Amino acid sequence: MGTPDELGFDADALRVRYALERERRIRPDGSEQYQRAEGKFGYYAEDPYAEPGFTREPIRDRVDAVVIGGGFGGLLAGARLRQAGLERIRIIEKAGDFGGTWYWNRYPGIHCDVESYVYLPLLEEVGYLPQWKYSPGEEIRQHAMAIGRKFDLYADAFFQTGVRELRWDDGEWIVRTDREDEVRATYVVVSNGTLDHPKLPRIPGIEDFAGHTFHTSRWDYDYTGGDANGGLTGLADKRVAVIGTGATAIQVVPHVGRDAGHLYVFQRTPSSVDVRGNRPTDPEWAASLEPGWHSARRENFQALATGHQPETDLVDDAWTASGRLLGKIVATDANAHLEPEEWERIEELLDFGKMNELRARVDEIVADPATAELLKPWYRYGCKRPTFSDEYLQTFNRPNVTVVDTADHGGVERITENAIVVGGVEYEVDCIVFATGFAVGMSDVMTGRLPVHGRDGAGLLQSWSTSGVQTLHGFYSNGFPNLFHLGGLQNAPSVNYVHVLDEHAIHIGAVVEQARERGVKRVEPTVEAQRAWVETLRATSPERERYDAECTPGYYNNEGKPRGPRLTYGPGPAAFQRLLREWRSGDGINEVLGDEN
Ligand code: NDP
C-alpha cells in the first residue's frame, strides 16, 4: 500500500480524518432537514422575469410533438425533431422563455463551470462561438433563445404554462395544461429538468426573520442593486449572510464579499475549490476551427472526464485533469482491465493526492491559518460536486468577510427576527441569501406530479410500482407509445450533462425519423426489450454504496443515507452513445418499431 514516507502522506490518518468529518455532519433527519419553498417562501413559485398577470384563451389543437420543458433538453429535443422532419413542435414551459436553469438562475457571478465550447449545444448549427472559455449565465441564456429562433421553436411554444396530465387516446396523446389547453400530439417528449425546485433548510425560526431573504435562484437585484456581473451597491451598508457553500455559493460569495458592508458565510461542508483559469476566446484559435470541431471536442472532453486518456486533451482544465477521479460521479469503463480491488486502491491514493493538493491551495491563498483550516475539504473528490474559482478563497482575506463554521451544530441552528444563531452566538444580519440548493432531481413524471395514462388508461408510475422502473435505454416504456423521457433515467450520466441530453435528443430524432419513413405509427418497446435493458443495467451498474456511505452527507448520497443503487449503464456515456448508434442502424430498432402499425 505504501508507507507515509513513500507516499508523501499518511493514508490511514486521512481515512480516520474523513470518517470523523463525516460523523460531525450526519443528521438523523437526513433529507427531511429540508423543506420545499412554500408558505412564507411560496413566492418562489412565481416567475419574476415573466409578464405579470399574463392570461390567454385556452387552446385546443393538434401538433406533431409536444415537448415538456424549455431548457436545453427540451430545446435539443425540439431541434432534433425538427431535423427529423416534424413541422408542428410545441414546447410547453412554465417560465416566460427558454433557458431552463439558465432562465431561473441569474445570481451575481453565474457561469457554467464546464467549458463553454463543449457545454453549449448546437454551436456550429447556430453559428455561434462563446466569448469566454467559461460562459456567463446570460450568454448561455441568450444561446438557448438563439436555438429557439434557429429551429423555429417559438412559433408554437406555450410559455408560463404547466402540463397537468398526459393521456393516450385513440392513437395520440392528449396533453392538458393548467391554462385549460387540450393539445393532441403524435409524440411527447418529457424533459422537465432535475434541479429546478429551490429548497430551504428547516431551520427553527426561519419564518421569523424580519429582514430580507431570497434564494440564489431568485436573486433580488431590486434589493442588492447591480446585475449578474456584480456591482451590488445596495448591499454597501448591509450585513449579509450567505447560507451554503456549494457550487452556487462559490460563484456568489466573491461578489457579495466585494460589495457588502459585512458578509458572513455560514458553512457546513466546504467545497473543494480548484483552479478556474477563465479567459476570453482566442480569435486565432476561433479562426482555426474546422467543421465538425464541436462534436470532436465534446467527445474528447467526455473521454477524459470518464477516465480515458486520448492522445490530446483539448479542453485541458481541472475537470479533465481530474478525470480519473470522477468515476464515482459518472460511470466509466476506463479501468475495466484492472481488478476492482486494484483499481480501488489506486483510485483512493490518487484521490488523497488530489485532495491534499486542493487543501494546500487553501493554505497558499488564505492568509489567516485558522480561516484556512475551516475552508479545507476533508472527503473524497467525488463526494461533492467539485468547484472551480480563482476568487472564492481569496474573498476570505477581506476584512469584511467572516466564515462561520456550523459543522458541529448540524448547520445553522436557529434564525431569529434579526440574527442567525450558531453555537449560541448570534450574528445580526440584514439579509439572508439561501444558497441551499435544489430538491434533487426527478422529472415531474417520476415524482407523480404529472400523471401519465397510457394504453388502456394505465398509470405509468402505477405500472412501475411492482416491477420497478421499466424502460428501454431510459427513453420509453411498453404501454406508453410515442412517449420519450429525456434526462438521467436508466442511462449513463456525464459531467457535461447537456452533451448527454444532445446525444439522447439525436437518438429520439433518429427513431422518430425512421418511424415516419416506415409509416410506423407507434414507437413502443417490447416487454422483452425493456426487460433485457434493465438486466443489462443490473449487471453493469457501478457499485458505489460503500463509497457513498463513507462520504460526508449531501445530495449525492441522500444526506448520508444511501438509497441503494440507481441503475445506470456502467460502461459509461461514450459506450452508451455507441450502443445507441449501433442499435438504431442495425436490427435493434425493430424492438420499438415492431408490430401492427
Ligand atoms: P448544493 O446543494 O450543492 O449546496 C447547498 C449548500 O447549502 C451546501 O453547502 C449545504 O451544506 C448548505 N446547507 C444546507 N442546509 C444548511 C444548513 N442548515 N446550514 C448550513 N448550510 C446548509 O446547492 P448549489 O445551488 O450550490 O448547487 C446545486 C447544483 O447545481 C450543483 O451541485 C451543480 O450540479 C449545479 N450547479 C452547477 C453550476 C455550473 O456551473 N455548472 C453552478 C452552480 C450549481 P452541506 O454540503 O453540508 O449539506
Side-chain angles (χ1 to χ4, degrees):
M1 179 57 86
T3 65
D5 278 350
E6 285 160 3
L7 292 170
F9 55 82
D10 185 342
D12 285 333
L14 283 171
R15 284 188 201 105
V16 170
R17 178 77 195 260
Y18 286 11
L20 283 174
E21 293 290 341
R22 176 179 187 279
E23 284 314 308
R24 234 156 55 94
R25 291 175 175 82
I26 286 287
R27 289 174 52 129
D29 51 358
S31 335
E32 292 301 307
Q33 67 182 285
Y34 291 106
Q35 56 185 333
R36 295 283 293 256
E38 289 163 348
K40 179 184 172 188
F41 301 101
Y43 65 89
Y44 289 142
E46 289 165 20
D47 182 345
Y49 312 112
E51 185 190 326
F54 168 75
T55 57
R56 63 168 171 77
E57 290 299 310
I59 293 175
R60 283 172 185 244
D61 64 358
R62 174 176 279 109
V63 296
D64 295 322
V66 159
V67 178
I68 304 175
F72 276 129
L75 286 163
L76 286 161
R80 300 305 182 185
L81 288 173
R82 181 74 78 211
Q83 290 172 329
L86 264 53
E87 281 177 12
R88 294 208 60 192
I89 300 169
R90 170 161 299 142
I91 295 184
I92 304 184
E93 165 59 53
K94 274 185 308 219
D97 208 326
F98 294 131
T101 197
W102 302 103
Y103 177 91
W104 296 107
N105 284 278
R106 304 193 193 192
Y107 56 78
I110 183 167
H111 277 72
C112 183
D113 63 12
V114 174
E115 194 201 51
S116 58
Y117 318 127
V118 297
Y119 178 81
L120 291 187
L122 297 167
L123 285 176
E124 291 189 73
E125 290 84 344
V126 172
Y128 184 69
L129 193 64
Q131 295 173 21
W132 288 83
K133 188 168 170 71
Y134 303 94
S135 287
E138 183 58 15
E139 183 178 38
I140 303 173
R141 195 173 75 82
Q142 291 297 335
H143 185 64
M145 292 158 69
I147 293 172
R149 288 191 296 274
K150 172 79 187 176
F151 291 91
D152 196 18
L153 298 170
Y154 275 99
D156 274 318
F158 286 174
F159 293 110
Q160 294 183 260
T161 305
V163 175
R164 284 286 163 268
E165 187 195 62
L166 299 177
R167 189 173 284 275
W168 180 253
D169 175 65
D170 202 17
E172 57 191 3
W173 286 99
I174 304 177
V175 181
R176 295 200 169 87
T177 77
D178 56 7
R179 291 189 183 271
E180 311 301 328
D181 307 305
E182 199 176 290
V183 181
R184 288 185 163 262
T186 311
Y187 301 103
V188 172
V189 181
V190 180
S191 179
N192 60 353
T194 51
L195 289 171
D196 61 338
H197 296 282
K199 89 185 175 208
L200 295 170
R202 274 183 222 277
I203 300 171
I206 189 170
E207 305 233 344
D208 301 336
F209 185 64
H212 202 72
T213 72
F214 52 89
H215 186 275
T216 47
S217 65
R218 301 291 185 278
W219 195 271
D220 187 351
Y221 286 107
D222 287 343
Y223 179 80
T224 66
D227 57 26
N229 298 315
L232 312 173
T233 49
L235 298 182
D237 58 350
K238 301 284 191 302
R239 298 158 300 178
V240 181
V242 170
I243 300 184
T245 52
T248 301
I250 299 302
Q251 298 183 337
V252 159
V253 158
H255 287 283
V256 181
R258 198 172 297 132
D259 294 332
H262 199 96
L263 167 62
Y264 295 98
V265 178
F266 290 88
Q267 168 189 277
R268 185 164 60 192
T269 314
S271 280
S272 68
V273 189
D274 211 336
V275 174
R276 176 66 314 177
N278 200 4
R279 53 181 183 268
T281 298
D282 173 6
E284 247 177 72
W285 170 75
S288 75
L289 296 172
E290 302 279 349
W293 71 270
H294 187 226
S295 63
R297 195 174 181 96
R298 287 201 309 196
E299 277 167 26
N300 179 261
F301 177 81
Q302 181 170 264
L304 284 150
T306 49
H308 293 273
Q309 289 171 317
E311 275 173 25
T312 49
D313 178 354
L314 296 170
V315 169
D316 189 20
D317 72 355
W319 281 116
T320 59
S322 308
R324 297 185 72 189
L325 295 176
L326 293 169
K328 294 298 181 225
I329 299 179
V330 297
T332 173
D333 66 348
N335 314 304
H337 58 290
L338 294 169
E339 289 298 320
E341 299 75 32
E342 174 66 357
W343 170 239
E344 172 54 30
R345 194 185 72 81
I346 296 171
E347 189 190 53
E348 190 190 33
L349 294 181
L350 283 172
D351 198 314
F352 285 145
K354 177 73 195 175
M355 293 305 279
N356 280 341
E357 186 191 306
L358 293 173
R359 288 185 284 265
R361 184 168 188 252
V362 181
D363 281 328
E364 276 160 32
I365 294 173
V366 179
D368 172 43
T371 304
E373 222 34 55
L374 291 179
L375 293 168
K376 287 181 189 168
W378 297 97
Y379 46 79
R380 285 183 64 171
Y381 190 69
C383 286
K384 285 208 174 281
R385 167 92 181 187
T387 75
F388 312 89
S389 174
D390 300 331
E391 299 170 277
Y392 175 76
L393 294 169
Q394 290 79 349
T395 303
F396 295 92
N397 291 333
R398 302 182 65 97
N400 66 326
V401 177
T402 310
V403 58
V404 181
D405 186 39
T406 70
D408 284 328
H409 311 280
V412 165
E413 275 178 284
R414 197 154 45 84
I415 295 180
T416 68
E417 212 174 67
N418 63 348
I420 291 187
V421 185
V422 178
V425 180
E426 286 196 18
Y427 299 86
E428 282 191 17
V429 292
D430 303 299
C431 170
I432 302 176
V433 179
F434 290 101
T436 47
F438 302 86
V440 178
M442 282 202 286
S443 81
D444 286 352
V445 165
M446 297 300 292
T447 59
R449 276 192 297 270
L450 171 52
V452 181
H453 300 282
R455 231 172 333 107
D456 309 322
L460 182 65
L461 284 189
Q462 289 80 345
S463 83
W464 288 343
S465 61
T466 45
S467 59
V469 176
Q470 297 285 320
T471 71
L472 174 59
H473 301 150
F475 294 124
Y476 18 44
S477 297
N478 185 269
F480 300 85
N482 297 1
L483 175 69
F484 300 89
H485 305 278
L486 190 55
L489 181 67
Q490 297 199 332
N491 50 47
S494 163
V495 163
N496 188 4
Y497 188 51
V498 174
H499 177 200
V500 161
L501 290 173
D502 195 15
E503 296 286 351
H504 296 182
I506 288 169
H507 185 73
I508 292 171
V511 170
V512 167
E513 193 171 10
Q514 287 211 33
R516 285 159 58 87
E517 274 170 20
R518 295 192 199 180
V520 170
K521 293 206 172 54
R522 266 187 16 222
V523 176
E524 181 181 1
T526 60
V527 172
E528 295 72 34
Q530 66 186 20
R531 193 176 294 140
W533 180 243
V534 174
E535 279 312 308
T536 301
L537 294 175
R538 287 218 176 92
T540 64
S541 208
E543 197 286 305
R544 56 166 289 163
E545 263 168 281
R546 194 168 64 85
Y547 181 97
D548 273 347
E550 290 173 359
C551 278
T552 45
Y555 80 88
Y556 275 16
N557 67 351
N558 192 32
E559 302 301 331
K561 298 183 175 177
R563 249 188 292 239
R566 189 173 71 97
L567 292 182
T568 59
Y569 183 60
F576 181 59
Q577 290 149 23
R578 211 163 36 242
L579 177 148
L580 293 180
R581 279 194 293 274
E582 285 164 10
W583 178 91
R584 64 184 184 248
S585 62
D587 290 340
I589 195 152
N590 296 325
E591 291 173 337
V592 298
L593 302 184
D595 58 342
E596 47 96 22
N597 286 290

